[in-house]
mmCIF file of all heavy atoms in Angstrom:
data_model
loop_
_atom_site.group_PDB
_atom_site.id
_atom_site.type_symbol
_atom_site.label_atom_id
_atom_site.label_comp_id
_atom_site.label_asym_id
_atom_site.label_seq_id
_atom_site.Cartn_x
_atom_site.Cartn_y
_atom_site.Cartn_z
ATOM 1 N N PHE A 220 105.153 66.041 94.513
ATOM 2 C CA PHE A 220 106.471 66.284 95.201
ATOM 3 C C PHE A 220 107.525 66.926 94.280
ATOM 4 O O PHE A 220 108.635 67.138 94.798
ATOM 5 C CB PHE A 220 107.024 64.957 95.730
ATOM 6 C CG PHE A 220 106.164 64.308 96.772
ATOM 7 C CD1 PHE A 220 105.419 63.204 96.479
ATOM 8 C CD2 PHE A 220 106.113 64.794 98.074
ATOM 9 C CE1 PHE A 220 104.651 62.523 97.439
ATOM 10 C CE2 PHE A 220 105.310 64.210 99.003
ATOM 11 C CZ PHE A 220 104.595 63.096 98.711
ATOM 12 N N GLY A 221 107.214 67.155 92.999
ATOM 13 C CA GLY A 221 108.270 67.723 92.103
ATOM 14 C C GLY A 221 108.879 69.021 92.642
ATOM 15 O O GLY A 221 110.096 69.259 92.540
ATOM 16 N N LYS A 222 108.042 69.899 93.154
ATOM 17 C CA LYS A 222 108.595 71.203 93.593
ATOM 18 C C LYS A 222 109.525 71.097 94.769
ATOM 19 O O LYS A 222 110.282 72.015 95.054
ATOM 20 C CB LYS A 222 107.432 72.139 93.881
ATOM 21 C CG LYS A 222 106.563 71.813 95.017
ATOM 22 C CD LYS A 222 105.523 72.857 95.218
ATOM 23 C CE LYS A 222 104.615 72.521 96.450
ATOM 24 N NZ LYS A 222 103.471 73.529 96.604
ATOM 25 N N GLU A 223 109.511 69.916 95.413
ATOM 26 C CA GLU A 223 110.451 69.665 96.571
ATOM 27 C C GLU A 223 111.777 69.091 96.072
ATOM 28 O O GLU A 223 112.591 68.823 96.853
ATOM 29 C CB GLU A 223 109.768 68.681 97.527
ATOM 30 C CG GLU A 223 108.428 69.179 98.181
ATOM 31 C CD GLU A 223 108.589 70.438 98.934
ATOM 32 O OE1 GLU A 223 109.686 70.652 99.567
ATOM 33 O OE2 GLU A 223 107.682 71.256 98.924
ATOM 34 N N GLY A 224 111.855 68.874 94.747
ATOM 35 C CA GLY A 224 113.098 68.382 94.249
ATOM 36 C C GLY A 224 113.232 66.860 94.086
ATOM 37 O O GLY A 224 114.305 66.352 93.794
ATOM 38 N N LEU A 225 112.168 66.152 94.277
ATOM 39 C CA LEU A 225 112.134 64.705 94.201
ATOM 40 C C LEU A 225 112.617 64.290 92.760
ATOM 41 O O LEU A 225 112.070 64.769 91.759
ATOM 42 C CB LEU A 225 110.798 64.097 94.501
ATOM 43 C CG LEU A 225 110.691 62.570 94.505
ATOM 44 C CD1 LEU A 225 111.443 62.040 95.714
ATOM 45 C CD2 LEU A 225 109.215 62.138 94.501
ATOM 46 N N VAL A 226 113.490 63.297 92.754
ATOM 47 C CA VAL A 226 113.901 62.732 91.438
ATOM 48 C C VAL A 226 113.361 61.278 91.353
ATOM 49 O O VAL A 226 113.520 60.536 92.266
ATOM 50 C CB VAL A 226 115.491 62.706 91.325
ATOM 51 C CG1 VAL A 226 115.925 61.937 90.086
ATOM 52 C CG2 VAL A 226 116.004 64.084 91.300
ATOM 53 N N ILE A 227 112.662 61.016 90.263
ATOM 54 C CA ILE A 227 111.957 59.716 90.142
ATOM 55 C C ILE A 227 112.789 58.893 89.119
ATOM 56 O O ILE A 227 113.034 59.314 87.988
ATOM 57 C CB ILE A 227 110.571 59.926 89.552
ATOM 58 C CG1 ILE A 227 109.769 60.822 90.532
ATOM 59 C CG2 ILE A 227 109.837 58.599 89.396
ATOM 60 C CD1 ILE A 227 108.566 61.449 89.947
ATOM 61 N N VAL A 228 113.145 57.662 89.560
ATOM 62 C CA VAL A 228 113.980 56.782 88.767
ATOM 63 C C VAL A 228 113.165 55.558 88.322
ATOM 64 O O VAL A 228 112.481 54.890 89.137
ATOM 65 C CB VAL A 228 115.225 56.344 89.507
ATOM 66 C CG1 VAL A 228 116.013 55.258 88.723
ATOM 67 C CG2 VAL A 228 116.098 57.505 89.914
ATOM 68 N N ASP A 229 113.287 55.192 87.066
ATOM 69 C CA ASP A 229 112.689 53.995 86.515
ATOM 70 C C ASP A 229 113.855 53.062 86.140
ATOM 71 O O ASP A 229 114.636 53.372 85.283
ATOM 72 C CB ASP A 229 111.826 54.317 85.259
ATOM 73 C CG ASP A 229 111.273 53.107 84.579
ATOM 74 O OD1 ASP A 229 111.415 51.951 85.164
ATOM 75 O OD2 ASP A 229 110.721 53.241 83.484
ATOM 76 N N GLY A 230 113.984 51.953 86.872
ATOM 77 C CA GLY A 230 115.084 51.020 86.608
ATOM 78 C C GLY A 230 114.940 50.242 85.301
ATOM 79 O O GLY A 230 115.904 49.636 84.869
ATOM 80 N N ASP A 231 113.772 50.273 84.725
ATOM 81 C CA ASP A 231 113.534 49.514 83.455
ATOM 82 C C ASP A 231 114.098 50.362 82.288
ATOM 83 O O ASP A 231 113.347 50.987 81.505
ATOM 84 C CB ASP A 231 112.028 49.269 83.315
ATOM 85 C CG ASP A 231 111.711 48.306 82.126
ATOM 86 O OD1 ASP A 231 112.690 47.765 81.576
ATOM 87 O OD2 ASP A 231 110.559 48.140 81.813
ATOM 88 N N ASP A 232 115.388 50.398 82.222
ATOM 89 C CA ASP A 232 116.107 51.318 81.362
ATOM 90 C C ASP A 232 117.381 50.663 80.766
ATOM 91 O O ASP A 232 118.192 50.198 81.529
ATOM 92 C CB ASP A 232 116.470 52.607 82.167
ATOM 93 C CG ASP A 232 117.134 53.699 81.290
ATOM 94 O OD1 ASP A 232 118.232 53.468 80.738
ATOM 95 O OD2 ASP A 232 116.490 54.729 81.090
ATOM 96 N N LYS A 233 117.482 50.574 79.487
ATOM 97 C CA LYS A 233 118.616 49.857 78.884
ATOM 98 C C LYS A 233 119.968 50.310 79.268
ATOM 99 O O LYS A 233 120.897 49.585 79.605
ATOM 100 C CB LYS A 233 118.461 49.820 77.347
ATOM 101 C CG LYS A 233 119.560 48.993 76.703
ATOM 102 C CD LYS A 233 119.310 48.858 75.152
ATOM 103 C CE LYS A 233 120.345 47.949 74.548
ATOM 104 N NZ LYS A 233 120.099 47.667 73.075
ATOM 105 N N ALA A 234 120.077 51.659 79.256
ATOM 106 C CA ALA A 234 121.407 52.261 79.610
ATOM 107 C C ALA A 234 121.788 51.949 81.021
ATOM 108 O O ALA A 234 122.970 51.684 81.311
ATOM 109 C CB ALA A 234 121.383 53.768 79.414
ATOM 110 N N LEU A 235 120.846 52.029 81.917
ATOM 111 C CA LEU A 235 121.140 51.727 83.361
ATOM 112 C C LEU A 235 121.429 50.250 83.556
ATOM 113 O O LEU A 235 122.304 49.855 84.280
ATOM 114 C CB LEU A 235 119.929 52.169 84.235
ATOM 115 C CG LEU A 235 119.663 53.639 84.278
ATOM 116 C CD1 LEU A 235 118.422 53.892 85.185
ATOM 117 C CD2 LEU A 235 120.882 54.440 84.817
ATOM 118 N N LYS A 236 120.676 49.380 82.881
ATOM 119 C CA LYS A 236 120.906 47.909 83.024
ATOM 120 C C LYS A 236 122.243 47.460 82.389
ATOM 121 O O LYS A 236 122.754 46.443 82.837
ATOM 122 C CB LYS A 236 119.693 47.164 82.447
ATOM 123 C CG LYS A 236 118.487 47.247 83.346
ATOM 124 C CD LYS A 236 117.438 46.194 82.940
ATOM 125 C CE LYS A 236 116.281 46.201 83.931
ATOM 126 N NZ LYS A 236 115.251 45.279 83.506
ATOM 127 N N LYS A 237 122.745 48.219 81.482
ATOM 128 C CA LYS A 237 124.005 47.905 80.902
ATOM 129 C C LYS A 237 125.118 47.893 81.982
ATOM 130 O O LYS A 237 125.983 47.040 81.989
ATOM 131 C CB LYS A 237 124.380 48.915 79.825
ATOM 132 C CG LYS A 237 125.449 48.420 78.863
ATOM 133 C CD LYS A 237 125.565 49.355 77.670
ATOM 134 C CE LYS A 237 126.588 48.833 76.691
ATOM 135 N NZ LYS A 237 126.746 49.681 75.485
ATOM 136 N N ILE A 238 124.975 48.798 82.913
ATOM 137 C CA ILE A 238 125.945 48.876 84.061
ATOM 138 C C ILE A 238 125.816 47.621 84.865
ATOM 139 O O ILE A 238 126.838 47.166 85.499
ATOM 140 C CB ILE A 238 125.633 50.114 84.934
ATOM 141 C CG1 ILE A 238 125.845 51.404 84.137
ATOM 142 C CG2 ILE A 238 126.492 50.151 86.152
ATOM 143 C CD1 ILE A 238 125.402 52.675 84.889
ATOM 144 N N LEU A 239 124.635 47.006 84.918
ATOM 145 C CA LEU A 239 124.396 45.863 85.821
ATOM 146 C C LEU A 239 124.973 44.542 85.224
ATOM 147 O O LEU A 239 125.037 43.578 85.991
ATOM 148 C CB LEU A 239 122.847 45.740 86.040
ATOM 149 C CG LEU A 239 122.375 44.782 87.178
ATOM 150 C CD1 LEU A 239 122.898 45.244 88.520
ATOM 151 C CD2 LEU A 239 120.871 44.718 87.107
ATOM 152 N N ILE A 240 125.307 44.469 83.970
ATOM 153 C CA ILE A 240 125.658 43.217 83.327
ATOM 154 C C ILE A 240 126.615 42.344 84.066
ATOM 155 O O ILE A 240 126.311 41.109 84.322
ATOM 156 C CB ILE A 240 126.217 43.489 81.875
ATOM 157 C CG1 ILE A 240 125.081 44.014 80.924
ATOM 158 C CG2 ILE A 240 126.862 42.262 81.266
ATOM 159 C CD1 ILE A 240 125.532 44.436 79.600
ATOM 160 N N PRO A 241 127.742 42.800 84.631
ATOM 161 C CA PRO A 241 128.637 41.880 85.317
ATOM 162 C C PRO A 241 128.038 41.254 86.544
ATOM 163 O O PRO A 241 128.348 40.177 86.948
ATOM 164 C CB PRO A 241 129.861 42.786 85.653
ATOM 165 C CG PRO A 241 129.398 44.155 85.434
ATOM 166 C CD PRO A 241 128.341 44.154 84.442
ATOM 167 N N TYR A 242 127.131 42.027 87.175
ATOM 168 C CA TYR A 242 126.483 41.557 88.405
ATOM 169 C C TYR A 242 125.437 40.528 88.086
ATOM 170 O O TYR A 242 125.238 39.552 88.827
ATOM 171 C CB TYR A 242 125.885 42.717 89.194
ATOM 172 C CG TYR A 242 126.868 43.794 89.531
ATOM 173 C CD1 TYR A 242 127.063 44.897 88.696
ATOM 174 C CD2 TYR A 242 127.680 43.641 90.690
ATOM 175 C CE1 TYR A 242 128.036 45.842 88.966
ATOM 176 C CE2 TYR A 242 128.601 44.637 91.040
ATOM 177 C CZ TYR A 242 128.764 45.701 90.183
ATOM 178 O OH TYR A 242 129.724 46.676 90.481
#
Side-chain angles (χ1 to χ4, degrees):
F220 297 106
K222 66 181 181 181
E223 301 298 327
L225 183 69
V226 173
I227 302 164
V228 175
D229 176 8
D231 190 6
D232 185 293
K233 184 172 184 175
L235 295 178
K236 284 193 175 175
K237 199 169 181 180
I238 297 173
L239 192 64
I240 289 173
Y242 303 93

